[in-house]
Short mmCIF file of all heavy atoms in Angstrom, two decimals:
data_model
loop_
_atom_site.label_atom_id
_atom_site.label_comp_id
_atom_site.label_asym_id
_atom_site.label_seq_id
_atom_site.Cartn_x
_atom_site.Cartn_y
_atom_site.Cartn_z
N PRO A 194 -13.41 -5.11 9.78
CA PRO A 194 -12.50 -6.04 10.44
C PRO A 194 -11.09 -6.01 9.86
O PRO A 194 -10.11 -6.25 10.57
CB PRO A 194 -13.15 -7.41 10.22
CG PRO A 194 -14.00 -7.22 9.00
CD PRO A 194 -14.48 -5.80 9.04
N GLU A 195 -10.98 -5.76 8.57
CA GLU A 195 -9.66 -5.74 7.92
C GLU A 195 -9.64 -4.60 6.91
O GLU A 195 -10.16 -4.71 5.81
CB GLU A 195 -9.38 -7.08 7.23
CG GLU A 195 -7.94 -7.22 6.78
CD GLU A 195 -7.67 -8.57 6.17
OE1 GLU A 195 -8.36 -8.95 5.21
OE2 GLU A 195 -6.76 -9.26 6.66
N LEU A 196 -9.05 -3.49 7.31
CA LEU A 196 -9.07 -2.27 6.50
C LEU A 196 -8.05 -2.37 5.37
O LEU A 196 -6.85 -2.55 5.62
CB LEU A 196 -8.76 -1.07 7.37
CG LEU A 196 -8.87 0.31 6.71
CD1 LEU A 196 -10.30 0.58 6.27
CD2 LEU A 196 -8.39 1.39 7.68
N PRO A 197 -8.49 -2.24 4.10
CA PRO A 197 -7.53 -2.24 2.98
C PRO A 197 -6.65 -0.99 3.03
O PRO A 197 -7.14 0.12 3.24
CB PRO A 197 -8.43 -2.24 1.74
CG PRO A 197 -9.77 -2.65 2.21
CD PRO A 197 -9.88 -2.17 3.62
N VAL A 198 -5.36 -1.19 2.83
CA VAL A 198 -4.39 -0.10 2.80
C VAL A 198 -3.63 -0.18 1.49
O VAL A 198 -3.00 -1.20 1.18
CB VAL A 198 -3.40 -0.17 3.98
CG1 VAL A 198 -2.36 0.94 3.88
CG2 VAL A 198 -4.14 -0.11 5.31
N SER A 199 -3.71 0.89 0.69
CA SER A 199 -2.96 0.94 -0.55
C SER A 199 -1.89 2.03 -0.44
O SER A 199 -1.70 2.62 0.62
CB SER A 199 -3.89 1.18 -1.73
OG SER A 199 -3.22 0.91 -2.95
N TYR A 200 -1.24 2.35 -1.54
CA TYR A 200 -0.07 3.22 -1.47
C TYR A 200 0.16 3.92 -2.81
O TYR A 200 -0.28 3.46 -3.86
CB TYR A 200 1.17 2.40 -1.09
CG TYR A 200 1.37 1.17 -1.95
CD1 TYR A 200 2.08 1.21 -3.14
CD2 TYR A 200 0.79 -0.05 -1.59
CE1 TYR A 200 2.23 0.09 -3.94
CE2 TYR A 200 0.93 -1.18 -2.37
CZ TYR A 200 1.67 -1.11 -3.55
OH TYR A 200 1.81 -2.21 -4.34
N ALA A 201 0.86 5.03 -2.75
CA ALA A 201 1.22 5.79 -3.95
C ALA A 201 2.36 6.72 -3.60
O ALA A 201 2.61 7.03 -2.43
CB ALA A 201 0.02 6.59 -4.48
N GLY A 202 3.06 7.19 -4.60
CA GLY A 202 4.13 8.16 -4.39
C GLY A 202 5.50 7.61 -4.75
O GLY A 202 5.71 6.39 -4.85
N GLY A 203 6.44 8.52 -4.91
CA GLY A 203 7.76 8.16 -5.41
C GLY A 203 8.53 7.18 -4.55
O GLY A 203 9.34 6.40 -5.06
N LEU A 204 8.31 7.20 -3.23
CA LEU A 204 9.06 6.29 -2.37
C LEU A 204 8.80 4.84 -2.74
O LEU A 204 9.69 3.99 -2.64
CB LEU A 204 8.69 6.52 -0.90
CG LEU A 204 9.40 5.61 0.11
CD1 LEU A 204 10.92 5.77 0.03
CD2 LEU A 204 8.90 5.85 1.51
N PHE A 205 7.59 4.54 -3.21
CA PHE A 205 7.22 3.15 -3.48
C PHE A 205 7.85 2.62 -4.77
O PHE A 205 7.75 1.42 -5.06
CB PHE A 205 5.71 3.00 -3.49
CG PHE A 205 5.13 3.23 -2.12
CD1 PHE A 205 4.53 4.44 -1.80
CD2 PHE A 205 5.23 2.26 -1.14
CE1 PHE A 205 4.02 4.66 -0.53
CE2 PHE A 205 4.73 2.47 0.13
CZ PHE A 205 4.12 3.68 0.44
N ARG A 206 8.55 3.50 -5.50
CA ARG A 206 9.35 3.00 -6.61
C ARG A 206 10.55 2.21 -6.10
O ARG A 206 11.22 1.53 -6.88
CB ARG A 206 9.80 4.15 -7.51
CG ARG A 206 8.67 4.72 -8.37
CD ARG A 206 9.22 5.51 -9.55
NE ARG A 206 9.86 6.74 -9.13
CZ ARG A 206 9.23 7.91 -8.97
NH1 ARG A 206 7.93 7.98 -9.18
NH2 ARG A 206 9.90 8.98 -8.61
N SER A 207 10.82 2.31 -4.80
CA SER A 207 11.88 1.49 -4.19
C SER A 207 11.44 0.04 -4.05
O SER A 207 12.24 -0.81 -3.63
CB SER A 207 12.26 2.05 -2.82
OG SER A 207 12.81 3.34 -2.94
N GLY A 208 10.19 -0.26 -4.36
CA GLY A 208 9.70 -1.64 -4.38
C GLY A 208 9.79 -2.30 -3.03
O GLY A 208 9.35 -1.77 -2.01
N GLY A 209 10.41 -3.48 -3.02
CA GLY A 209 10.44 -4.29 -1.81
C GLY A 209 11.15 -3.64 -0.64
O GLY A 209 10.89 -4.00 0.51
N LEU A 210 12.04 -2.68 -0.90
CA LEU A 210 12.74 -2.02 0.20
C LEU A 210 11.76 -1.36 1.17
O LEU A 210 12.01 -1.34 2.38
CB LEU A 210 13.72 -0.96 -0.34
CG LEU A 210 15.01 -1.48 -0.97
CD1 LEU A 210 15.82 -0.31 -1.52
CD2 LEU A 210 15.83 -2.28 0.04
N ILE A 211 10.66 -0.82 0.65
CA ILE A 211 9.67 -0.18 1.52
C ILE A 211 8.41 -1.03 1.66
O ILE A 211 7.80 -1.07 2.72
CB ILE A 211 9.32 1.24 1.03
CG1 ILE A 211 8.42 1.95 2.03
CG2 ILE A 211 8.70 1.20 -0.36
CD1 ILE A 211 9.04 2.19 3.38
N LEU A 212 8.03 -1.76 0.60
CA LEU A 212 6.78 -2.52 0.66
C LEU A 212 6.89 -3.72 1.60
O LEU A 212 5.93 -4.03 2.31
CB LEU A 212 6.38 -2.98 -0.74
CG LEU A 212 5.81 -1.89 -1.65
CD1 LEU A 212 5.62 -2.43 -3.06
CD2 LEU A 212 4.50 -1.36 -1.10
N GLN A 213 8.01 -4.38 1.62
CA GLN A 213 8.14 -5.55 2.50
C GLN A 213 8.05 -5.15 3.98
O GLN A 213 7.27 -5.76 4.74
CB GLN A 213 9.42 -6.30 2.19
CG GLN A 213 9.37 -7.05 0.87
CD GLN A 213 10.68 -7.75 0.54
OE1 GLN A 213 11.58 -7.84 1.38
NE2 GLN A 213 10.80 -8.25 -0.68
N PRO A 214 8.80 -4.14 4.42
CA PRO A 214 8.64 -3.76 5.84
C PRO A 214 7.28 -3.15 6.14
O PRO A 214 6.77 -3.32 7.25
CB PRO A 214 9.77 -2.76 6.08
CG PRO A 214 10.19 -2.29 4.74
CD PRO A 214 9.94 -3.44 3.79
N LEU A 215 6.66 -2.47 5.16
CA LEU A 215 5.33 -1.92 5.40
C LEU A 215 4.32 -3.06 5.58
O LEU A 215 3.46 -3.00 6.48
CB LEU A 215 4.92 -1.02 4.24
CG LEU A 215 3.53 -0.40 4.34
CD1 LEU A 215 3.38 0.44 5.61
CD2 LEU A 215 3.21 0.44 3.10
N ARG A 216 4.41 -4.08 4.75
CA ARG A 216 3.50 -5.23 4.89
C ARG A 216 3.71 -5.91 6.24
O ARG A 216 2.74 -6.26 6.93
CB ARG A 216 3.72 -6.21 3.74
CG ARG A 216 2.81 -7.43 3.80
CD ARG A 216 2.97 -8.34 2.61
NE ARG A 216 2.37 -7.74 1.41
CZ ARG A 216 3.06 -7.21 0.41
NH1 ARG A 216 4.38 -7.19 0.45
NH2 ARG A 216 2.45 -6.71 -0.64
N ARG A 217 4.97 -6.09 6.63
CA ARG A 217 5.24 -6.73 7.91
C ARG A 217 4.67 -5.91 9.08
O ARG A 217 4.10 -6.47 10.02
CB ARG A 217 6.76 -6.89 8.11
CG ARG A 217 7.41 -7.96 7.26
CD ARG A 217 8.78 -8.32 7.79
NE ARG A 217 9.69 -7.17 7.84
CZ ARG A 217 10.51 -6.84 6.85
NH1 ARG A 217 10.54 -7.57 5.74
NH2 ARG A 217 11.32 -5.81 6.98
N GLU A 218 4.83 -4.60 9.00
CA GLU A 218 4.35 -3.75 10.09
C GLU A 218 2.83 -3.77 10.18
O GLU A 218 2.26 -3.83 11.28
CB GLU A 218 4.85 -2.32 9.89
CG GLU A 218 4.45 -1.34 10.97
CD GLU A 218 5.04 -1.67 12.34
OE1 GLU A 218 5.96 -2.54 12.42
OE2 GLU A 218 4.58 -1.09 13.34
N LEU A 219 2.14 -3.73 9.04
CA LEU A 219 0.68 -3.78 9.05
C LEU A 219 0.19 -5.12 9.57
O LEU A 219 -0.81 -5.19 10.30
CB LEU A 219 0.13 -3.51 7.65
CG LEU A 219 0.32 -2.08 7.12
CD1 LEU A 219 -0.07 -2.00 5.65
CD2 LEU A 219 -0.49 -1.09 7.93
N GLU A 220 0.88 -6.19 9.21
CA GLU A 220 0.50 -7.51 9.73
C GLU A 220 0.73 -7.59 11.23
O GLU A 220 -0.06 -8.20 11.96
CB GLU A 220 1.30 -8.59 9.00
CG GLU A 220 0.87 -8.79 7.54
CD GLU A 220 1.76 -9.77 6.80
OE1 GLU A 220 2.80 -10.19 7.38
OE2 GLU A 220 1.44 -10.11 5.65
N ARG A 221 1.81 -6.98 11.69
CA ARG A 221 2.09 -6.99 13.13
C ARG A 221 1.01 -6.23 13.90
O ARG A 221 0.56 -6.67 14.97
CB ARG A 221 3.45 -6.34 13.39
CG ARG A 221 3.90 -6.39 14.86
CD ARG A 221 5.13 -5.53 15.10
NE ARG A 221 4.81 -4.11 14.98
CZ ARG A 221 4.25 -3.38 15.95
NH1 ARG A 221 3.90 -3.94 17.10
NH2 ARG A 221 4.02 -2.09 15.76
N LEU A 222 0.56 -5.11 13.32
CA LEU A 222 -0.47 -4.31 13.98
C LEU A 222 -1.81 -5.02 13.99
O LEU A 222 -2.59 -4.92 14.94
CB LEU A 222 -0.60 -2.96 13.27
CG LEU A 222 0.59 -2.00 13.45
CD1 LEU A 222 0.50 -0.87 12.44
CD2 LEU A 222 0.64 -1.45 14.86
N GLY A 223 -2.12 -5.75 12.92
CA GLY A 223 -3.39 -6.47 12.80
C GLY A 223 -4.52 -5.56 12.37
O GLY A 223 -4.53 -4.36 12.65
N GLY A 224 -5.47 -6.12 11.63
CA GLY A 224 -6.64 -5.37 11.19
C GLY A 224 -6.43 -4.58 9.91
O GLY A 224 -7.27 -3.75 9.54
N PHE A 225 -5.30 -4.84 9.21
CA PHE A 225 -5.01 -4.14 7.95
C PHE A 225 -4.62 -5.16 6.89
O PHE A 225 -4.12 -6.25 7.19
CB PHE A 225 -3.86 -3.15 8.13
CG PHE A 225 -4.13 -2.04 9.10
CD1 PHE A 225 -3.63 -2.11 10.39
CD2 PHE A 225 -4.88 -0.94 8.73
CE1 PHE A 225 -3.86 -1.10 11.31
CE2 PHE A 225 -5.12 0.08 9.63
CZ PHE A 225 -4.62 0.01 10.92
N ARG A 226 -4.85 -4.77 5.64
CA ARG A 226 -4.47 -5.63 4.51
C ARG A 226 -3.88 -4.75 3.42
O ARG A 226 -4.55 -3.86 2.90
CB ARG A 226 -5.70 -6.37 3.99
CG ARG A 226 -5.48 -7.19 2.73
CD ARG A 226 -6.69 -8.08 2.46
NE ARG A 226 -7.94 -7.33 2.51
CZ ARG A 226 -8.52 -6.76 1.45
NH1 ARG A 226 -7.96 -6.85 0.25
NH2 ARG A 226 -9.68 -6.13 1.58
N LEU A 227 -2.60 -4.96 3.10
CA LEU A 227 -1.94 -4.15 2.08
C LEU A 227 -2.39 -4.62 0.70
O LEU A 227 -2.31 -5.81 0.37
CB LEU A 227 -0.43 -4.28 2.20
CG LEU A 227 0.40 -3.32 1.34
CD1 LEU A 227 0.18 -1.87 1.77
CD2 LEU A 227 1.89 -3.66 1.41
N VAL A 228 -2.88 -3.70 -0.12
CA VAL A 228 -3.38 -4.04 -1.46
C VAL A 228 -2.69 -3.17 -2.51
O VAL A 228 -2.37 -2.00 -2.26
CB VAL A 228 -4.91 -3.87 -1.56
CG1 VAL A 228 -5.61 -4.80 -0.60
CG2 VAL A 228 -5.32 -2.42 -1.31
N GLU A 229 -2.46 -3.74 -3.65
CA GLU A 229 -1.85 -3.01 -4.76
C GLU A 229 -2.85 -1.99 -5.31
O GLU A 229 -4.04 -2.30 -5.45
CB GLU A 229 -1.43 -3.98 -5.86
CG GLU A 229 -0.68 -3.33 -7.00
CD GLU A 229 -0.24 -4.34 -8.04
OE1 GLU A 229 -0.39 -5.55 -7.80
OE2 GLU A 229 0.27 -3.91 -9.10
N PRO A 230 -2.41 -0.76 -5.63
CA PRO A 230 -3.34 0.23 -6.19
C PRO A 230 -3.87 -0.21 -7.55
O PRO A 230 -3.14 -0.80 -8.35
CB PRO A 230 -2.49 1.50 -6.29
CG PRO A 230 -1.07 1.03 -6.30
CD PRO A 230 -1.04 -0.22 -5.46
N LEU A 231 -5.15 0.09 -7.80
CA LEU A 231 -5.75 -0.24 -9.09
C LEU A 231 -5.20 0.63 -10.21
O LEU A 231 -4.98 0.16 -11.32
CB LEU A 231 -7.27 -0.05 -9.02
CG LEU A 231 -8.06 -1.00 -8.14
CD1 LEU A 231 -9.52 -0.57 -8.08
CD2 LEU A 231 -7.95 -2.43 -8.68
N MET A 232 -4.98 1.90 -9.90
CA MET A 232 -4.55 2.87 -10.91
C MET A 232 -3.60 3.87 -10.29
O MET A 232 -3.64 4.08 -9.07
CB MET A 232 -5.75 3.64 -11.47
CG MET A 232 -6.79 2.84 -12.21
SD MET A 232 -8.13 3.95 -12.80
CE MET A 232 -9.42 3.54 -11.64
N PRO A 233 -2.77 4.53 -11.08
CA PRO A 233 -1.90 5.57 -10.54
C PRO A 233 -2.71 6.83 -10.20
O PRO A 233 -3.85 7.00 -10.68
CB PRO A 233 -0.91 5.84 -11.68
CG PRO A 233 -1.64 5.44 -12.92
CD PRO A 233 -2.52 4.28 -12.52
N PRO A 234 -2.14 7.73 -9.41
CA PRO A 234 -2.89 8.92 -8.98
C PRO A 234 -3.41 9.80 -10.11
O PRO A 234 -4.48 10.39 -9.96
CB PRO A 234 -1.86 9.67 -8.13
CG PRO A 234 -0.98 8.60 -7.58
CD PRO A 234 -0.86 7.59 -8.69
N VAL A 235 -2.71 9.89 -11.22
CA VAL A 235 -3.20 10.78 -12.28
C VAL A 235 -4.51 10.26 -12.87
O VAL A 235 -5.39 11.05 -13.25
CB VAL A 235 -2.13 10.99 -13.37
CG1 VAL A 235 -1.90 9.73 -14.20
CG2 VAL A 235 -2.52 12.17 -14.27
N LEU A 236 -4.70 8.94 -12.91
CA LEU A 236 -5.99 8.40 -13.34
C LEU A 236 -7.04 8.67 -12.28
O LEU A 236 -8.22 8.90 -12.58
CB LEU A 236 -5.89 6.90 -13.63
CG LEU A 236 -5.53 6.53 -15.09
CD1 LEU A 236 -4.11 6.95 -15.41
CD2 LEU A 236 -5.69 5.04 -15.33
N GLY A 237 -6.61 8.65 -11.01
CA GLY A 237 -7.52 9.04 -9.95
C GLY A 237 -7.96 10.49 -10.09
O GLY A 237 -9.14 10.82 -9.86
N ALA A 238 -7.05 11.38 -10.48
CA ALA A 238 -7.40 12.78 -10.69
C ALA A 238 -8.41 12.92 -11.82
O ALA A 238 -9.34 13.74 -11.75
CB ALA A 238 -6.15 13.60 -10.99
N ALA A 239 -8.24 12.13 -12.88
CA ALA A 239 -9.20 12.17 -13.99
C ALA A 239 -10.57 11.68 -13.53
O ALA A 239 -11.61 12.25 -13.90
CB ALA A 239 -8.69 11.31 -15.15
N LEU A 240 -10.61 10.63 -12.70
CA LEU A 240 -11.88 10.16 -12.15
C LEU A 240 -12.54 11.25 -11.30
O LEU A 240 -13.76 11.43 -11.35
CB LEU A 240 -11.64 8.92 -11.30
CG LEU A 240 -11.77 7.56 -11.96
CD1 LEU A 240 -11.37 6.46 -10.98
CD2 LEU A 240 -13.19 7.32 -12.47
N LEU A 241 -11.75 11.96 -10.52
CA LEU A 241 -12.29 13.02 -9.69
C LEU A 241 -12.81 14.18 -10.53
O LEU A 241 -13.76 14.87 -10.13
CB LEU A 241 -11.23 13.51 -8.70
CG LEU A 241 -10.92 12.52 -7.58
CD1 LEU A 241 -9.66 12.93 -6.82
CD2 LEU A 241 -12.10 12.40 -6.61
#
């Protein structure tokens, strides 16, 4: 019913400039929930 959406990559170092409009757009679309990543990608690579 509500798909979690997280994010990674250099663009998101812009913080609210990209995260605020992304959250607004996902809310407008409905059925999504923006969530903060648990770990950075390099820790994800170690897990993999």
Side-chain angles (χ1 to χ4, degrees):
E195 191 177 56
L196 185 64
V198 177
S199 194
Y200 51 88
L204 179 60
F205 293 102
R206 287 199 291 272
S207 297
L210 285 177
I211 187 63
L212 285 173
Q213 288 178 10
L215 179 59
R216 180 176 287 106
R217 287 196 301 268
E218 182 64 13
L219 291 172
E220 289 175 352
R221 184 190 69 81
L222 290 166
F225 298 100
R226 174 169 50 91
L227 190 65
V228 298
E229 185 177 352
L231 292 174
M232 297 180 255
V235 70
L236 270 68
L240 268 174
L241 288 167

